[in-house]
Amino acid sequence: MGNLAVKDNLRREFEDLRSDLNQGSIPKVAAEYQKCLNEMQNLPLDIAVTGDAGVGKSSFINAFRGVKDDDNDAAEVAAVEGTKVPKAYPYPSFPNIKLWDLPGIGTLKFRAAEYMKKVQFERYDVFLIITSDRFTENSALLAKEIQKMKKKFYYVRARIDESIKNESRKRDFNEMEALSAIRKHCEGVLKESAELSKRVFLISNHHAHMYDFPLLQERMAAELPDHKKQILTLAVHIFSENELMKKKELMKAYIKKLAWVSCTCGAVPLPGLSVACDVGIFVDALKHFCHVFGLDDRSLRFLARQTGKEFEELKSAIKKTPLPNTINAELVFSLLMKSSLWVTVSVVELALDVIPVLGSLFGGGSSYVVTCHFLNSFLDDAVEDAQNVLAKLLE
């Protein structure tokens, strides 16, 4: 049964290769896919985090990026407003994604009337307006100005865990009813003050897996332009099976692009070149997979702290995927040597390299198929391990 599945996968990969070749030559198609890969790695996504002073913007930025407040690269969390100028905090594994900690609006240094110009509102792709208590006049002003620029914004009611804790002291407390009442109140004030009907996201910076934090991430990604939607979807933490499957589909498309880069190397009639290219591509790709699916120490430690789980407990759920700090050329080569497909293809390729035209055709096609097969197998393992970690989080 397993051999039949492998044969079906290989047949589909050859069909994909033939279909794309109908659109142009190997170098032409590969160049188009390389351009897409470069865009994915370098396309900037600038997310502005704004709101009144002292509402927890810095803590929110840390939670969204998956870093702890006391990490070296964390946004500084202060008892008083500490942000004097807009400051960018890159996403750890996706540095082209930046969350900007903007100064609090309405402080002595940043009067509301001058705020938009001083923080260069036009430079950001999307806005998050944070409040920790009530919707203020300044927040209404921000919402109106962002709407004038025809950009997306999301209203975030932070510290909801503290509010629920306070509400729980009341007689006949019901958490769902309390959350509904808070959301309804915030949306009502928003509509009255800014004449906007917007969804309000109730979040906790210290429990990112709870309340509306996962929904906020999902909604933001869904409403961005296509390329930026993809990079944010790949970057955010996995809190649901739906998010996991979205990442898997994007990584399948990513694998196809990498396979075409490998195909270009394989088509060059130099003995051993395609092998060297493949191993280099695989090292980077496997590390990328681990970061995308949260199978790295930083992600696991963040999730452990947010959920109250033990780090080692979450780490024990990873059965098949190596941690990124252990992935190198030696490890990749050892994994390839366990693949009968790769061994067979490599032997034939070396034999044909002395026949220029035939060697180029076989080398390009074999590199494409081996890359697809190897990386899709690794992807299946990474998804399974991510599902195991998710199950531990939800226990």
Side-chain angles (χ1 to χ4, degrees):
M1 190 73 177
N3 288 335
L4 288 176
V6 170
K7 288 179 180 178
D8 285 342
N9 287 336
L10 293 177
R11 177 178 54 78
R12 284 195 294 271
E13 286 154 9
F14 271 117
E15 288 174 354
D16 285 345
L17 176 63
R18 184 172 58 185
S19 173
D20 280 353
L21 279 175
N22 288 334
Q23 310 300 317
S25 65
I26 287 178
K28 178 184 176 183
V29 178
E32 291 175 357
Y33 282 128
Q34 183 65 64
K35 181 182 177 182
C36 291
L37 287 172
N38 291 339
E39 285 181 352
M40 185 179 292
Q41 293 173 351
N42 301 314
L43 189 69
L45 174 58
D46 293 298
I47 302 171
V49 181
T50 183
D52 288 303
V55 295
K57 298 190 299 294
S58 297
S59 290
F60 173 84
I61 287 172
N62 293 336
F64 201 97
R65 294 166 59 233
V67 303
K68 297 180 290 185
D69 286 344
D70 54 358
D71 284 349
N72 291 333
D73 57 350
E76 183 180 358
V77 177
V80 295
E81 177 66 22
T83 306
K84 304 301 182 186
V85 295
K87 184 172 181 179
Y89 292 92
Y91 219 96
S93 301
F94 296 81
N96 50 322
I97 301 177
K98 294 182 176 67
L99 276 84
W100 289 81
D101 191 359
L102 303 190
I105 187 171
T107 62
L108 290 175
K109 189 174 180 62
F110 288 91
R111 297 295 188 187
E114 306 170 337
Y115 186 78
M116 316 302 173
K117 185 177 180 180
K118 285 189 174 182
V119 300
Q120 298 178 296
F121 252 39
E122 69 282 353
R123 75 185 299 173
Y124 309 108
D125 296 292
V126 63
F127 296 82
L128 295 163
I129 302 176
I130 313 292
T131 184
S132 63
D133 186 10
R134 68 194 191 287
F135 189 76
T136 66
E137 182 181 345
N138 289 331
S139 298
L141 174 64
L142 286 173
K144 288 177 180 178
E145 290 299 319
I146 295 167
Q147 272 217 319
K148 287 180 184 177
M149 295 187 294
K150 300 187 184 306
K151 293 191 176 185
K152 290 286 184 182
F153 77 92
Y154 302 89
Y155 180 53
V156 179
R157 166 68 155 81
R159 299 174 180 167
I160 197 65
D161 49 335
E162 297 176 16
S163 297
I164 291 299
K165 184 178 179 181
N166 292 334
E167 288 290 321
S168 68
R169 299 190 181 99
K170 296 180 180 179
R171 186 181 302 170
D172 300 326
F173 166 74
N174 180 289
E175 183 172 338
M176 295 307 296
E177 291 178 1
L179 288 170
S180 178
I182 293 171
R183 178 179 285 109
K184 186 176 180 180
H185 171 73
C186 290
E187 290 174 349
V189 176
L190 178 65
K191 187 173 183 179
E192 181 181 346
S193 302
E195 299 177 349
L196 297 171
S197 297
K198 297 288 287 186
R199 168 73 188 251
V200 175
F201 295 88
L202 312 180
I203 64 101
S204 163
N205 293 332
H206 303 297
H207 303 286
H209 62 298
M210 296 174 63
Y211 309 112
D212 290 341
F213 213 122
L215 180 62
L216 172 63
Q217 293 180 153
E218 190 174 337
R219 182 69 62 83
M220 287 175 62
E223 295 179 348
L224 283 167
D226 283 346
H227 283 322
K228 299 197 176 189
K229 174 188 305 183
Q230 292 178 18
I231 60 175
L232 185 59
T233 299
L234 292 175
V236 297
H237 285 286
I238 299 170
F239 294 120
S240 71
E241 184 74 14
N242 184 45
E243 289 174 322
L244 179 57
M245 290 301 108
K246 286 181 181 178
K247 286 177 182 270
K248 181 179 180 180
E249 288 307 308
L250 288 176
M251 293 310 289
K252 281 183 172 292
Y254 173 76
I255 287 171
K256 185 177 180 180
K257 294 177 178 66
L258 286 179
W260 271 103
V261 176
S262 174
C263 184
T264 307
C265 290
V268 179
L270 290 176
L273 177 62
S274 65
V275 175
C277 284
D278 287 347
V279 171
I281 288 170
F282 294 163
V283 168
D284 291 338
L286 266 54
K287 289 181 178 180
H288 185 54
F289 280 38
C290 290
H291 291 305
V292 164
F293 290 101
L295 305 175
D296 59 278
D297 275 359
R298 177 195 281 270
S299 296
L300 294 174
R301 291 189 187 281
F302 171 75
L303 292 174
R305 187 163 180 172
Q306 288 275 315
T307 60
K309 304 289 184 181
E310 293 293 331
F311 166 72
E312 292 298 335
E313 180 185 2
L314 296 182
K315 190 175 179 180
S316 69
I318 302 175
K319 306 293 185 184
K320 297 182 176 181
T321 313
L323 292 173
N325 60 350
T326 67
I327 297 174
N328 52 32
E330 184 179 354
L331 174 66
V332 167
F333 195 75
S334 69
L335 294 174
L336 285 169
M337 288 299 291
K338 295 176 183 177
S339 168
S340 58
L341 171 67
W342 185 80
V343 173
T344 302
V345 164
S346 297
V347 171
V348 175
E349 185 179 331
L350 286 172
L352 292 177
D353 272 335
V354 296
I355 311 174
V357 176
L358 186 58
S360 294
L361 291 174
F362 182 82
S366 64
S367 290
Y368 178 94
V369 172
V370 168
T371 299
C372 282
H373 182 64
F374 179 76
L375 291 182
N376 274 302
S377 295
F378 190 90
L379 174 61
D380 289 339
D381 288 345
V383 168
E384 184 178 331
D385 280 340
Q387 287 172 323
N388 292 337
V389 172
L390 181 60
K392 288 281 186 185
L393 291 176
L394 300 177
E395 283 181 356

